[in-house]
Amino acid sequence: MKSEIVIGLEIHVQLKTQTKLFCSCPTEAVEPNTAICPTCLGHPGSKPVMNAKALEYGAKLALSLGCKIAPTVVFSRKTYFYPDLAKNYQITQYEVPLGSNGQIILDNKKVVHIQRAHLEEDPGALIHEAGGCLIDYNRSGIPLVEVVTAPDMESPAEAREFMKKVLNVLGYLGIFDQNTCVIKADANVSIKEKGYTRVEIKNITGFKEIERALNYEVQRQKQQDVKRETRGWDADKGITYHMRSKEQEEDYGYITETDLPLFEISQDWIRKIQATIPELAEQRAIRWTKDWKIDEDDANIIAADLDVATLFEEIARKTDPILTSRWTRREVLRLLNDKKKTLKETEFEAKTLTELFKLLQEKKITDRIGQRIIEQLADKKFSPNAYVTEQKLEVMADEGALEKICKEVIAKNEKAVTDYKAGEEKSLMFLIGQVMKQTKGTAAPNVVKEVLKSLLK
Amino acid sequence: MIKKFVKEALAGKINLVEHTEKALEEAEKINKEYHYITAFADAVNRAKELQEQVKNGTAKGKLFGVLISVKDSICVKDTETTASSAILKGYKPVFNATVIQKCLDEGAIILGKTVMDEFGFGGFSTNVGKGYQKPLNPYDKKRSTGGSSGGAAGLTKKASFPHIALGESTGGSIVNPASFCGVVGICPTYGRVSRYGLIDYGNSLDKVGTLALNTEDAALLLEVISGRDSHDSTTADQPVHNYSETPGAISGLRIGIVKEAYAEGIDNNVRKHVLEAVYKLEQKGARRIEISLPIGMNYGVPTYFTLAPAEASTNLAKYCGIRYGANEQLTGNFNEYFSRVRNNNFGEEAKRRLLLGTFARQAGYRDAFYTKAAKVRTKIIQEYAQAFKQVDVIITPTVAIQAPTFDEVKKLTPLQNFMIDLLTVSPNLAGLPHMTIPVAEANGLPVGMMIIGPQFGEQKIIQVARAHEK
Amino acid sequence: MEITPELVKRVAANARLNLKEDEVKKFAAEMKEILANFEKLSEVNTDGVEPSFHPIPVKNVTREDKPGKCLDREEALSLTPHKKNGYFRGPKTI
């Protein structure tokens, strides 16, 4: 039975090369129109020359998405007129894409088929102004990979997850720089109640916006008449707006790009590229679950962040992997999220975290102390061992002292004691909390519980 | 003739500045009557530069001191380059085409830009863009120079000073005007010469070539401009020979005579004189073999006039009134603006080819036209490959007629215009090297004979031309 | 095949040429004659024949991913009067 919502995506990924796809202009420039030349400006007589690295990176991405690489790579001209398109045609791939027939599997086991992954050049950047527009051709010719999915996604959340997984793969491959490279998507979305009339939403930037835009559009389609059209996404206003109807679509009149040669792809070349692809997130998570028996969920979540995954792996080899995985997920990742930082932006490092996790695994400190220390390790590099010794944060081993404190707490909190004896488990938690406070968190909570219970019998 | 001049110039025996000034004077005089040159380069200053080199003993180069005219579709830095189109009026490229740089590196002096059919669209140089004057045949001012390299061919015939012309061919635009103007024209194999800096007509068909009064001079310029170029991915990694030193030895050479190329559609004078020239070659040791090229001869024109305009219609998309070239006030939305600038500045033939080419690649027609033509092209290429198993070169008349009058040209329908290229489109589609030499005069007009060679067989065709000239 | 003035208008719009009415009629008549002649391409048997987009096979030419010399912005902008503050200017797009 067909789904209520049908979504397909076309994602444009900018590759992290030094130079543009068809000319030697640098891909990074600040001042407008400073990374330009006759080729990316479309001067008469200029000619494109293929960037070898872009071809490699494109193939690398296609292979990582499970695609088959075409034996002969051909480029096409897509002709349409717009001020940011230097030649009024874009060199892209029409008939035979670089890669085809790949897939990404979502967490709910749904398979999203990737129909094609191909190389193409970016147009320049346009700024609208009164009575005209301003154009910066720095971006003209930047190498892009366009990834096109089958309409396999059934919710905005799935679309978001798909994009996140693509970003994850890109992170692992090192061919995409989150800070300087851009990832944009066009989405095709239709709903059952409007007869699956398809609408294209253009120019959505980033995976968060994908979910926002699709949520809006699905709602809009439920409430309004739906006709076949292309709409744009306005992130500021949070709405989609009409751009053009499907009848007004340009006939691109594709022809072969004859200023470029054919690229014959040998099995040897593919093997070399394949060898440069690292173990990707999914395989990594599966390996950890198999070898270290860590929780599947934890494994997937840690693997999704390349830097955290690398850090985790280094530490886990020297400590108890299960404990390390729990702490990596529940503390390290949580802190990154709370502070809105990437791992590289914190002071976390393998050395200090390994020390900390060893202390925990040897039960030399309590979890609560561990939490306190790990929060500080995010902002400062220091030795947990030294810190624990200095601050006297070792687990309270002296049972006598502990019993004394428990008795003090019982004495000071009559109401809680009464409530507990009346059946309120919560009050016991409160008393434990008080003991933890007194012991500055160094008492093992389960020990405290037993001592209190026996005292209150 | 050129080699002798270069030797003397290098030896300091020629006052290059005086020589150049005189040549410019003559060129300007010719131009007033015949309209061959659309823009002059700064030749005198260049001559001064070269003169200094002679003084310093640093003078060198195969073309030292030689004046080279440049078809206006080839970019010369800081010199108005328009492909004879109003849409590029005033445009001065910021870079030199590779072929220009190669000429300069060999000590050449760029004389100026020669007029052409707008963007190469034509076989009579009557389709010059708005505001340009059409060139007149050097034999008879009422007649066409042929096209599209009309200015190049006419100037080559008329100039009395040492001069070689750079021309360009997509469907026959070097040999056609060379034939009508009685000069030698060489169009090399596709990929032999860099197209970097050549304003594109059909990217899989364009070739830069040379025109001169004799084969040695044309071959000399060819050897200078040939070679692999990192700026143009379609250039071949083939060794460049000293084409100008090719001897005229043709003993045992097998000449293919294309049955269809001598049939009733050919003017009697043309047929007669070309066959006489072939007979003379046989007397020098060559052997004639009759061959048939039915696909090329019968389907070359529709194949060419589908593929070339299709490519051209994408190449011309960039001319829209922003970034460079003709422009107007930025009123109206972008589609209105583009359409206005383009309609106002493209000539009639340019519009015709844009429509034809856009149509041929439009969804719904693409398979029947663009893709089908590309398949027929394969068959034409294979047909020639087969022929070259039996013969070393192929000879046909260059054009079925001698230079027509402008009145005769005016009466032609667009389709008839296309048909003039019947003999030249096939070797151009197959990317084969071909050249024309004047073999006779009839009724006061030249007759051209075309020699076609296999891929990278420039030496073979030059060999035959030299043999004829001996 | 029908070559109507409507078809010519559509093709002209695609090619960004705003032809006048008499131009449309003229080109329609010419295209009709030309394309009728070109239909004979269908006579050629091309079963199993691959299209040739280059006459001479050209393969695998690439360049190293190393930055080269760029155009000076002022030089690039000097080619047009339509510019502002380092940007090229174009007509209205919305």
Side-chain angles (χ1 to χ4, degrees):
Chain A
M1 200 202 68
K2 205 166 170 191
S3 149
E4 301 274 321
I5 304 172
V6 175
I7 297 170
L9 292 179
E10 279 173 29
I11 301 176
H12 293 91
V13 178
Q14 181 190 327
L15 295 175
K16 186 177 145 195
T17 53
Q18 294 225 43
T19 62
K20 297 183 177 184
L21 188 53
F22 296 121
C23 66
S24 303
C25 287
T27 49
E28 285 180 37
V30 178
E31 288 303 305
N33 292 304
T34 50
I36 53 173
C37 74
T39 298
C40 54
L41 280 179
H43 280 187
S46 63
K47 306 282 184 286
V49 184
M50 171 62 79
N51 180 338
K53 193 115 252 151
L55 200 53
E56 271 175 46
Y57 283 359
K60 204 165 168 177
L61 177 56
L63 287 166
S64 302
L65 295 174
C67 293
K68 257 200 99 218
I69 303 293
T72 305
V73 174
V74 181
F75 284 85
S76 315
R77 287 186 184 176
K78 176 180 183 182
T79 305
Y80 65 96
F81 291 75
Y82 208 64
D84 65 0
L85 198 58
K87 302 181 288 297
N88 283 328
Y89 63 81
Q90 178 196 36
I91 302 179
T92 174
Q93 293 191 280
Y94 177 58
E95 272 126 340
V96 186
L98 174 63
S100 57
N101 289 330
Q103 64 183 35
I104 278 195
I105 305 177
L106 303 181
D107 289 342
N108 63 4
K109 305 286 179 258
K110 159 102 51 84
V111 176
V112 178
H113 294 97
I114 291 171
Q115 291 172 339
R116 51 190 287 151
H118 70 248
L119 280 168
E120 61 182 31
E121 53 175 353
D122 211 2
L126 206 77
I127 302 172
H128 304 293
E129 64 157 27
C133 63
L134 297 176
I135 317 152
D136 173 12
Y137 292 102
N138 282 349
R139 289 200 62 83
S140 168
I142 293 269
L144 302 176
V145 171
E146 178 174 322
V147 177
V148 181
T149 74
D152 289 339
M153 286 155 280
E154 294 176 307
S155 70
E158 282 188 357
R160 177 194 167 123
E161 192 193 330
F162 176 84
M163 269 192 81
K164 267 197 88 179
K165 284 194 182 290
V166 171
L167 272 166
N168 173 266
V169 170
L170 289 169
Y172 268 77
L173 295 181
I175 59 174
F176 173 78
D177 181 344
Q178 274 199 45
N179 298 320
T180 59
C181 299
V182 184
I183 182 166
K184 291 206 209 131
D186 297 336
N188 280 300
V189 52
S190 63
I191 61 175
K192 183 177 186 177
E193 43 201 275
K194 293 297 160 77
Y196 296 113
T197 304
R198 204 169 70 211
V199 173
E200 186 188 6
I201 315 291
K202 287 196 86 64
N203 264 320
I204 310 166
T205 308
F207 63 88
K208 291 188 200 134
E209 291 300 305
I210 264 281
E211 195 174 18
R212 262 187 90 207
L214 288 171
N215 273 327
Y216 173 85
E217 178 60 21
V218 167
Q219 283 313 305
R220 185 195 74 84
Q221 289 195 9
K222 288 197 166 128
Q223 292 159 11
Q224 296 178 14
D225 274 342
V226 181
K227 49 183 162 59
R228 290 209 63 205
E229 56 170 334
T230 299
R231 297 176 73 83
W233 167 246
D234 184 331
D236 293 329
K237 296 200 182 114
I239 58 161
T240 61
Y241 58 92
H242 171 78
M243 282 177 81
R244 54 179 180 267
S245 69
K246 282 299 177 183
E247 289 78 51
Q248 296 170 312
E249 284 286 290
E250 195 86 38
D251 186 326
Y252 297 120
Y254 291 96
I255 60 168
T256 301
E257 173 53 78
T258 42
D259 275 343
L260 288 174
L262 299 176
F263 296 92
E264 282 185 345
I265 306 291
S266 67
Q267 285 305 310
D268 238 20
W269 189 80
I270 295 180
R271 261 193 291 268
K272 267 204 220 117
I273 307 277
Q274 192 82 58
T276 66
I277 298 177
E279 181 191 41
L280 297 175
E282 267 155 35
Q283 296 147 294
R284 212 170 193 180
I286 290 172
R287 176 169 59 81
W288 291 338
T289 322
K290 203 171 89 175
D291 295 346
W292 288 332
K293 310 277 184 283
I294 66 177
D295 175 76
E296 205 181 296
D297 221 30
D298 288 349
N300 281 319
I301 290 182
I302 296 169
D305 182 325
L306 176 60
D307 292 330
V308 173
T310 309
L311 180 75
F312 164 74
E313 185 132 12
E314 200 184 326
I315 300 171
R317 286 178 200 284
K318 305 194 190 115
T319 60
D320 168 18
I322 295 179
L323 181 140
T324 299
S325 68
R326 259 194 271 126
W327 278 77
T328 303
R329 178 190 175 166
R330 286 170 217 183
E331 299 303 325
V332 175
L333 282 172
R334 175 186 62 81
L335 285 163
L336 293 184
N337 210 23
D338 290 347
K339 291 173 189 286
K340 297 207 188 316
K341 284 186 174 176
T342 63
L343 185 69
K344 289 205 164 94
E345 290 166 337
T346 67
E347 295 299 321
F348 281 133
E349 54 171 11
K351 181 155 158 264
T352 52
L353 286 171
T354 305
E355 249 185 58
L356 175 64
F357 294 161
K358 279 216 174 103
L359 287 171
L360 285 163
Q361 130 193 354
E362 290 161 13
K363 297 211 191 308
K364 291 206 175 129
I365 55 173
T366 62
D367 281 5
R368 184 176 282 201
I369 297 296
Q371 277 164 348
R372 212 191 298 164
I373 296 179
I374 206 170
E375 275 198 35
Q376 294 180 50
L377 283 175
D379 303 323
K380 214 167 49 150
K381 284 191 174 72
F382 59 91
S383 157
N385 282 336
Y387 180 77
V388 162
T389 310
E390 269 169 54
Q391 301 282 321
K392 300 199 206 314
L393 297 173
E394 301 92 337
V395 165
M396 186 173 231
D398 185 345
E399 291 200 8
L402 182 61
E403 203 178 307
K404 188 156 165 268
I405 293 174
C406 285
K407 282 185 178 155
E408 280 173 25
V409 165
I410 288 172
K412 284 205 189 112
N413 295 282
E414 279 178 33
K415 184 167 188 304
V417 171
T418 320
D419 289 343
Y420 168 63
K421 285 194 173 155
E424 280 285 340
E425 277 300 308
K426 265 201 295 191
S427 303
L428 182 63
M429 294 293 122
F430 171 76
L431 291 171
I432 294 173
Q434 292 300 301
V435 174
M436 299 301 283
K437 232 168 93 179
Q438 290 276 65
T439 61
K440 293 199 179 67
T442 59
N446 53 333
V447 176
V448 171
K449 191 174 182 187
E450 293 316 307
V451 173
L452 281 173
K453 273 169 93 170
S454 73
L455 286 176
L456 290 170
K457 259 217 285 279
Chain B
M1 177 169 119
I2 298 285
K3 282 192 178 177
K4 189 156 161 281
F5 174 86
V6 171
K7 214 159 151 215
E8 291 179 0
L10 285 170
K13 295 200 185 130
I14 302 180
N15 182 326
L16 285 174
V17 179
E18 249 179 52
H19 164 84
T20 303
E21 282 170 343
K22 260 186 76 201
L24 281 176
E25 241 185 81
E26 185 189 329
E28 272 164 19
K29 233 173 116 229
I30 294 172
N31 217 29
K32 280 206 178 71
E33 275 191 79
Y34 292 90
H35 321 308
Y36 295 144
I37 300 173
T38 55
F40 282 91
D42 194 358
V44 175
N45 267 324
R46 170 69 172 166
K48 289 185 178 152
E49 219 180 271
L50 296 175
Q51 198 72 68
E52 274 302 303
Q53 287 178 14
V54 175
K55 259 202 2 223
N56 300 336
T58 56
K60 65 174 168 71
K62 289 180 179 177
L63 299 173
F64 191 81
V66 178
L67 284 157
I68 307 285
S69 69
V70 181
K71 184 176 185 180
D72 201 20
S73 51
I74 300 171
C75 287
V76 176
K77 187 160 184 233
D78 298 331
T79 307
E80 192 178 16
T81 297
T82 70
S84 292
S85 175
I87 210 158
L88 281 174
K89 195 91 190 79
Y91 172 67
K92 292 188 180 173
V94 299
F95 65 103
N96 272 323
T98 298
V99 296
I100 300 299
Q101 196 54 55
K102 282 178 176 258
C103 288
L104 294 173
D105 290 344
E106 291 292 338
I109 305 176
I110 304 298
L111 167 62
K113 314 306 293 303
T114 53
V115 76
M116 51 186 281
D117 288 291
E118 182 176 9
F119 289 112
F121 300 150
F124 297 108
S125 295
T126 50
N127 293 326
V128 294
K130 296 185 180 180
Y132 292 86
Q133 281 182 296
K134 63 177 186 282
L136 310 180
N137 191 297
Y139 285 77
D140 176 350
K141 288 188 200 165
K142 292 208 195 66
R143 294 181 184 266
S144 157
T145 53
S148 58
S149 311
L155 182 64
T156 300
K157 184 67 187 174
K158 267 288 173 193
S160 73
F161 49 86
H163 156 259
I164 326 177
L166 280 173
E168 179 276 332
S169 171
T170 306
S173 295
I174 290 174
V175 296
N176 166 315
S179 169
F180 283 177
C181 294
V183 299
V184 173
I186 305 180
C187 177
T189 312
Y190 178 85
R192 174 76 288 184
V193 175
S194 171
R195 291 180 298 112
Y196 182 69
L198 170 66
I199 298 180
D200 307 279
Y201 166 177
N203 316 74
S204 72
L205 293 154
D206 294 344
K207 310 146 202 87
V208 174
T210 65
L211 297 96
L213 289 169
N214 58 69
T215 301
E216 186 189 77
D217 294 348
L220 178 64
L221 182 54
L222 181 65
E223 76 190 45
V224 167
I225 61 176
S226 296
R228 177 110 174 63
D229 180 17
S230 60
H231 290 294
D232 175 0
S233 309
T234 60
T235 50
D237 211 350
Q238 295 272 338
V240 179
H241 300 284
N242 290 335
Y243 299 123
S244 60
E245 288 170 21
T246 313
I250 55 166
S251 173
L253 194 86
R254 299 161 304 166
I255 299 177
I257 298 298
V258 182
K259 157 170 116 187
E260 295 88 355
Y262 297 85
E264 329 87 52
I266 308 296
D267 177 287
N268 287 327
N269 275 318
V270 172
R271 183 193 305 111
K272 180 170 112 155
H273 288 292
V274 172
L275 286 174
E276 266 172 27
V278 172
Y279 178 65
K280 284 210 198 97
L281 291 171
E282 287 178 284
Q283 290 187 309
K284 292 184 179 169
R287 198 159 54 94
R288 91 158 69 174
I289 297 175
E290 194 177 86
I291 61 174
S292 173
L293 300 173
I295 302 178
M297 292 295 113
N298 291 313
Y299 301 99
V301 168
T303 304
Y304 173 80
F305 282 101
T306 301
L307 291 173
E311 293 194 316
S313 65
T314 63
N315 286 320
L316 264 62
K318 57 174 63 75
Y319 306 117
C320 60
I322 57 177
R323 296 181 293 273
Y324 51 78
N327 58 80
E328 302 180 9
Q329 293 264 33
L330 292 177
T331 55
N333 79 15
F334 66 108
N335 281 320
E336 289 166 9
Y337 177 75
F338 291 161
S339 303
R340 210 168 66 230
V341 173
R342 289 160 66 81
N343 208 49
N344 287 346
N345 289 288
F346 281 139
E348 195 183 299
E349 186 64 28
K351 290 184 196 177
R352 190 175 288 120
R353 303 225 182 168
L354 281 172
L355 290 171
L356 191 54
T358 304
F359 174 82
R361 56 186 177 83
Q362 216 160 262
Y365 302 103
R366 198 171 166 268
D367 283 338
F369 287 98
Y370 175 71
T371 311
K372 179 71 177 181
K375 290 182 180 173
V376 178
R377 184 179 192 176
T378 303
K379 292 201 84 162
I380 294 175
I381 294 169
Q382 287 170 349
E383 193 175 63
Y384 273 110
Q386 270 301 108
F388 281 114
K389 288 194 180 133
Q390 302 177 269
V391 303
D392 299 303
V393 299
I394 293 171
I395 291 185
T396 70
T398 307
V399 194
I401 56 174
Q402 294 180 287
T405 63
F406 291 117
D407 284 337
E408 286 166 339
V409 173
K410 263 208 193 87
K411 295 200 181 90
L412 298 173
T413 66
L415 184 60
Q416 285 169 332
N417 255 286
F418 292 170
M419 294 302 282
I420 293 297
D421 292 337
L422 186 117
L423 293 170
T424 56
V425 286
S426 297
N428 274 280
L429 279 166
L432 300 174
H434 55 286
M435 65 181 291
T436 184
I437 48 171
V439 292
E441 274 182 29
N443 304 330
L445 294 173
V447 174
M449 176 176 86
M450 179 161 71
I451 311 160
I452 305 168
Q455 291 178 9
F456 300 106
E458 280 78 2
Q459 282 172 304
K460 282 218 171 92
I461 61 177
I462 290 170
Q463 200 178 357
V464 175
R466 292 297 290 264
H468 171 88
E469 282 172 353
K470 268 208 301 221
Chain C
M1 171 188 27
E2 267 304 289
I3 307 295
T4 60
E6 278 63 50
L7 176 58
V8 172
K9 278 205 189 106
R10 248 191 301 137
V11 174
N14 202 347
R16 300 303 184 278
L17 292 171
N18 57 356
L19 302 175
K20 307 189 182 60
E21 276 308 309
D22 56 339
E23 281 178 299
V24 172
K25 284 206 191 81
K26 181 169 73 103
F27 285 129
E30 289 171 359
M31 294 268 286
K32 209 168 166 172
E33 192 202 359
I34 293 168
L35 291 167
N37 178 288
F38 286 9
E39 275 187 321
K40 69 174 167 182
L41 278 178
S42 58
E43 289 166 15
V44 184
N45 185 344
T46 51
D47 292 337
V49 177
E50 287 300 306
S52 286
F53 296 109
H54 285 117
I56 316 269
V58 201
K59 298 190 182 148
N60 292 21
V61 179
T62 60
R63 75 183 150 82
E64 224 187 301
D65 186 29
K66 234 171 61 179
K69 200 161 168 287
C70 289
L71 256 190
D72 174 56
R73 176 165 79 192
E74 291 321 303
E75 199 181 0
L77 289 171
S78 71
L79 297 174
T80 175
H82 297 309
K83 55 199 165 189
K84 186 171 152 190
N85 297 337
Y87 290 89
F88 286 88
R89 265 203 97 220
K92 237 180 343 157
T93 48
I94 37 174

